[in-house]
Amino acid sequence: MPTHILKLHTFALSTIAVAMLTACGGGGGGSGGGSAKTGFLSGTVIDGYIEGAKVCLDVNSNGACDTGEPTATTDSGGKYKLDTGSISTSGLTVIAEIPDTAKDSDDNGLTLLAAGKSAYTMAAPATESSVVTPITTLIVGKVKTDNLSAATAKGRVLEELGLASDTNPYEDHVAAGNSIVQGTARQLAAQLQQAQKNLPAGTTPQERLAKLQEAVKAMQDAAGSVALKSQDADPLNLPLTLSTVATGSLFAYKMPSAMGKQINATAMLFTPKSVPPPGGWPLVVFGHGTVGVAQSCAPSVTMKATGNWEYASVVASLLSQGMVVVAPDYEGMGSSAMGVEAGHPYLDLGSAGRSMALAAVGAKKLMTTQLSGAWATMGHSQGGHAALAGAQFAGLAKKQEPSLNYKGAIAIAPASNLQMSLNTMWSGIQASSLNPASYATGYNAVEISNFYAAYVVKGTQSTPAPLTPSDVFGARMLAVYNAKVGTECFSSFSSSVSTSVGQYAVTNGATPAGYTGFINAAINATNVTRVLNSNEPGQMKLPGNTLIVQGSADTTVLPSSTRALLATMQSKGSQVTLSYHDSVAATHGGVLAVPAAQAAVTNHLNSMFTAH
């Protein structure tokens, strides 16, 4: 969101070991909470609905569909029915072997292979077989690899995925319209596909599920571990505002990407130039606003090159108050020398949440007892969205580093309700086109809305649910998108959008609504709505105490969008307060300098870190 205009280790398993790993009921609790069934088992295989999957009841508990076991193939709606006869399902697993010739309903009739996906295997407890999904696969896996009861495994999985504790993983989330679970399932499917693709050549079908589960566990266990610490004598080139109060370092930590790979992500770590207090400093994970989506736009990269950072004074203030700050660059942004690979999933909730939460884990592992363990998230604009996403993944942070104790969030002008904002802007653009005196206001909204939309669409290209740019943009904005969005950072790209709009505005008969930019109907299409809704923050009860700061003169994150976010969070039972500032100075970036907003932030931090 703009800040002013807007080798895996594998091992051979004996037949007995395989059976032990793949038999449901590890940990003394079984794989499912239901009772044993006989006769028939039916259900649905879902990422989207999967057609052409081979489904079986794994009677011999070897993790594969073998001759003689009850087997079926899913239809176009992902449905299957197994004739289990007199076989008791207690302690057994339903396996779904999904070849690359299968079709996912999310892919508009394409096979997995044609959609750029690959074969993978999923599972569900036979006693909870109404759906077989990536989430049920993780639950089965945790029962086996972590020796947990089914109930405990379910709770752990939901927590690590940033899902509400009352989420029913055995529900058809597509039919229920649960966009958050849909988005999570898509990313997990990508992780399962990637893990299966990476299995050693010669892996037999009977070994596949067990090794797949071990691979996923290895990735999960590594999340938040420090991969690399920069040995550069001056890794950040701190601006004076920061160098007077802090020392800075740069490190890379492991995290799962939105596409299911294990990647390096970078974060800047700022430590006060003082002695740690008894018990250690509290930690703030700070999320930056939009800087672009190119790898080179990362704050750690641009600050090293220029000695400047627009959030230097904000972060310096936190350090002056006795807090350590870690600031992630986010997934896909940062130096290739630190092992970062390009591909930033802009405003992707899971990616942002993991970037923030696992940066806290990395910081704690580096600083150990110098940090108290108390931590909070804070951010502006895109970073406000990340702060709320980080709260959602606080459970993951604690699982990876038990000494971490999450306190709450500060979200300043947080990106939210993107579809609502774009629709509101479009209505304003149409209205302004009726009166030449309002054209300037209309063209400003055209620039802001197209800037937003371009980064959102580009961000989806690094996720399992990419949007097609030509479906979303008209000719003029599509030309800018294709030429500029993936290479230009914030200022340059905003200028490119402005130039395109300006060139149009001087043509005969031009009106703001006539600019061939984002297509409003496309923004409201089912596939776009599904993507946008799955990345909305605050749709579950968040831990800790949240403060939202909003300015009345913000034309980038609209006050109406923030009020809708507030209402959603309150309806979910989150402890949340709005600090609203009615002033012409309280613009998108200006609100950061409003004294009353600064006081609200300071008071909230003090209340979080002094509370027992």
Side-chain angles (χ1 to χ4, degrees), residues 120-182:
Y120 62 113
T121 302
M122 298 198 297
T127 49
E128 294 282 5
S129 59
S130 57
V131 295
V132 183
T133 75
I135 298 175
T136 65
T137 305
L138 256 64
I139 293 172
V140 169
K142 269 203 186 299
V143 169
K144 299 168 185 174
T145 62
D146 290 3
N147 196 34
L148 300 175
S149 70
T152 301
K154 170 188 168 183
R156 290 270 182 91
V157 166
L158 295 178
E159 185 176 61
E160 292 170 17
L161 296 178
L163 295 174
S165 60
D166 60 352
T167 300
N168 180 6
Y170 306 113
E171 174 186 66
D172 182 339
H173 54 262
V174 177
N178 192 326
S179 58
I180 292 291
V181 175
Q182 287 184 60

Side-chain angles (χ1 to χ4, degrees), residues 257-591:
S257 76
M259 293 296 286
K261 298 180 180 180
Q262 187 179 70
I263 60 168
N264 279 9
T266 47
M268 303 179 290
L269 183 60
F270 305 100
T271 309
K273 287 185 172 180
S274 59
V275 177
W281 288 298
L283 174 70
V284 175
V285 184
F286 184 83
H288 63 80
T290 296
V291 292
V293 296
Q295 183 177 355
S296 59
C297 300
S300 67
V301 175
T302 58
M303 186 160 64
K304 174 65 173 177
T306 68
N308 295 313
W309 189 32
E310 62 182 314
Y311 294 106
S313 61
V314 176
V315 172
S317 175
L318 299 174
L319 289 153
S320 296
Q321 296 176 63
M323 301 167 197
V324 169
V325 177
V326 62
D329 286 319
Y330 305 144
E331 176 184 337
M333 301 180 72
S335 170
S336 58
M338 298 294 288
V340 176
E341 297 180 9
H344 174 51
Y346 182 73
L347 292 181
D348 181 276
L349 187 76
S351 175
R354 292 182 180 95
S355 291
M356 298 286 280
L358 295 175
V361 174
K364 179 62 175 171
K365 289 184 181 297
L366 280 170
M367 298 190 67
T368 62
T369 58
Q370 289 183 299
L371 293 179
S372 68
W375 71 289
T377 54
M378 177 178 173
H380 172 240
S381 196
Q382 179 187 1
H385 174 276
L388 298 175
Q392 198 163 319
F393 283 84
L396 172 62
K398 191 165 188 66
K399 184 260 182 183
Q400 300 303 104
E401 180 51 64
S403 64
L404 286 173
N405 182 16
Y406 184 74
K407 297 296 186 178
I410 298 172
I412 305 168
S416 73
N417 293 289
L418 266 294
Q419 188 173 57
M420 175 193 293
S421 294
L422 288 169
N423 282 329
T424 299
M425 289 181 185
W426 177 243
S427 295
I429 290 166
Q430 288 180 302
S432 71
S433 297
L434 301 176
N435 183 356
S438 300
Y439 281 8
T441 299
Y443 283 125
N444 183 58
V446 170
E447 292 177 17
I448 295 173
S449 57
N450 279 280
F451 186 104
Y452 280 172
Y455 276 157
V456 169
V457 172
K458 181 62 176 176
T460 67
Q461 309 310 306
S462 297
T463 76
L467 300 176
T468 303
S470 59
D471 289 347
V472 179
F473 300 111
R476 288 183 180 270
M477 186 59 207
L478 184 61
V480 179
Y481 176 95
N482 287 336
K484 308 289 187 180
V485 71
T487 57
E488 292 186 341
C489 295
F490 175 84
S491 295
S492 294
F493 185 60
S494 60
S495 294
S496 294
V497 175
S498 296
T499 297
S500 176
V501 173
Q503 290 172 341
Y504 164 76
V506 297
T507 62
N508 290 331
T511 68
Y515 178 79
T516 50
F518 85 87
I519 302 166
N520 189 246
I523 294 298
N524 293 286
T526 300
N527 64 322
V528 178
T529 297
R530 183 170 62 231
V531 169
L532 295 178
N533 286 349
S534 69
N535 291 310
E536 282 295 327
Q539 295 189 71
M540 60 168 276
K541 183 179 179 179
L542 298 183
N545 189 353
T546 300
L547 175 71
I548 298 176
V549 179
Q550 176 68 42
S552 64
D554 195 333
T555 58
T556 296
V557 171
L558 304 179
S560 58
S561 295
T562 296
R563 292 193 182 279
L565 169 64
L566 177 68
T568 296
M569 292 180 67
Q570 290 172 332
S571 73
K572 300 300 181 181
S574 295
Q575 185 179 352
V576 56
T577 303
L578 175 64
S579 178
Y580 188 77
H581 304 278
D582 192 357
S583 165
V584 294
T587 60
H588 187 59
V591 73

Side-chain angles (χ1 to χ4, degrees), residues 233-250:
D234 185 15
L236 297 177
N237 190 20
L238 298 183
L240 186 61
T241 307
L242 275 171
S243 64
T244 56
V245 297
T247 56
S249 61
L250 178 67

